[in-house]
Amino acid sequence: MDNVRTISRGIDLLEFLNRSGKATGAHIASQLGLSRPSTYRILETLTACGVVRYSEKDNKYALDWSAQTLASGLTERSRVLCVATPYLYELQKKVQWPTDLAIHENGVMVVKELTHPISPYSIESGIVGSRHPVLCGSLGRAYISFCPKGERDAILKNFFSRCTGGYEYFNSMQQIEWMIAKTRADGFGSRQQDVNAETSSIAVPIRFLGRVLACMDISWIASAMSFDEAVKKFHAPLDEARRAVERQLAAETMLN
């Protein structure tokens, strides 16, 4: 419990610095209702971790660049999930087949929202929070194909030596590069029964300001229709949902 309490206080402290910009240790302690020794111990730990920096000039602490970047990323993710979720459900109503919304975290795609429970055609229950190696499905293949090159190179660096999943579907980096080129040409990531023999899927990236914030997919029972037939039927509504999310993100940014 002490560890949990310390982590909770650390989060409170980071949130306070995010709001206030800069503050002395004494001021932070008084504002958060913490003892000064506890406050300085937490500040020392966060400084050692590189998320808080201390300035001897004014005796104040502030969020370091890495923490600011993290906060920005979390804000963008929360925002895109809020915007995209209603479109995900509208898309499911239109196509009837299940849809998913996922974000990328450290080489895996994390499902944040799904409509499998309400789809009459779903044969997979699906779990919010489930994690899938980036090359193991259409969501991850869409992400890695459309994210910035520097990010893509970092994800693929030492890929085969790490073997975090997905390597069984690609025997060489040349195959991965071919998949990326095809995905970019098609405009969507695809999975054709190579992970789950019963289903296939296609996915599109939700992009904003040069980054991929999330990916959205449609999956179907492979025996119900051919892959080409499914692409012809599903790609247009899936892509329209993507464009609608990106338009709303852009509109909200202009208003702010």
Side-chain angles (χ1 to χ4, degrees):
M1 288 300 294
D2 288 342
N3 289 338
V4 173
R5 192 177 299 111
T6 299
I7 293 171
S8 177
R9 289 172 175 172
I11 293 172
D12 290 341
L13 193 153
L14 290 173
E15 290 178 342
F16 176 79
L17 286 177
N18 191 45
R19 294 192 303 269
S20 62
K22 277 185 163 187
T24 64
H27 183 63
I28 293 170
S30 66
Q31 292 299 304
L32 296 181
L34 302 176
S35 69
R36 290 194 182 188
S38 294
T39 300
Y40 282 109
R41 280 198 299 272
I42 295 171
L43 284 168
E44 288 173 3
T45 300
L46 293 174
T47 301
C49 291
V51 293
V52 167
R53 67 176 184 273
Y54 171 69
S55 171
E56 293 184 357
K57 184 177 181 180
D58 55 10
N59 191 35
K60 290 183 178 181
Y61 294 85
L63 291 182
D64 204 350
W65 178 85
S66 60
Q68 294 173 357
T69 302
L70 175 62
S72 174
L74 290 173
T75 299
E76 285 183 343
R77 287 179 176 180
S78 298
R79 183 178 166 209
V80 72
L81 292 175
C82 288
V83 171
T85 295
Y87 291 103
L88 186 78
Y89 280 88
E90 287 182 16
L91 176 63
Q92 190 281 321
K93 289 179 182 179
K94 184 179 296 184
V95 301
Q96 294 295 295
W97 293 91
T99 56
D100 301 274
L101 182 66
I103 62 171
H104 174 261
E105 287 183 359
N106 299 320
V108 299
M109 298 303 292
V110 183
V111 175
K112 290 297 186 178
E113 192 59 69
L114 51 80
T115 63
H116 290 260
I118 64 173
S119 170
Y121 303 132
S122 178
I123 60 172
E124 302 172 329
S125 57
I127 301 174
V128 171
S130 60
R131 304 168 71 85
H132 308 276
V134 73
L135 294 182
C136 281
S138 60
L139 290 163
R141 293 168 189 174
Y143 186 91
I144 202 167
S145 298
F146 288 96
C147 69
K149 184 179 183 303
E151 183 180 1
R152 178 164 60 251
D153 291 344
I155 294 171
L156 293 176
K157 185 178 181 181
N158 301 321
F159 177 76
F160 289 102
S161 63
R162 291 170 61 191
C163 290
T164 55
Y167 56 90
E168 60 267 41
Y169 306 110
F170 299 95
N171 297 321
S172 66
M173 192 61 71
Q174 286 73 25
Q175 285 190 354
I176 295 175
E177 291 172 351
W178 179 88
M179 178 274 292
I180 290 171
K182 185 177 187 304
T183 298
R184 292 179 66 86
D186 291 341
F188 58 84
S190 63
R191 174 179 62 79
Q192 299 186 51
Q193 299 177 268
D194 56 0
V195 177
N196 182 336
E198 295 184 310
T199 64
S200 296
S201 64
I202 58 173
V204 293
I206 297 172
R207 290 174 285 185
F208 187 64
L209 298 179
R211 297 180 55 224
V212 177
L213 300 185
C215 293
M216 183 185 295
D217 78 355
I218 297 175
S219 59
W220 65 91
I221 299 172
S223 61
M225 65 187 85
S226 69
F227 184 81
D228 289 343
E229 180 184 358
V231 169
K232 186 176 180 180
K233 184 175 183 180
F234 297 142
H235 183 221
L238 177 61
D239 204 49
E240 174 52 35
R242 172 194 65 79
R243 290 197 300 269
V245 174
E246 292 177 353
R247 284 196 298 267
Q248 185 169 334
L249 288 171
E252 290 182 359
T253 299
M254 291 180 65
L255 288 175
N256 293 329

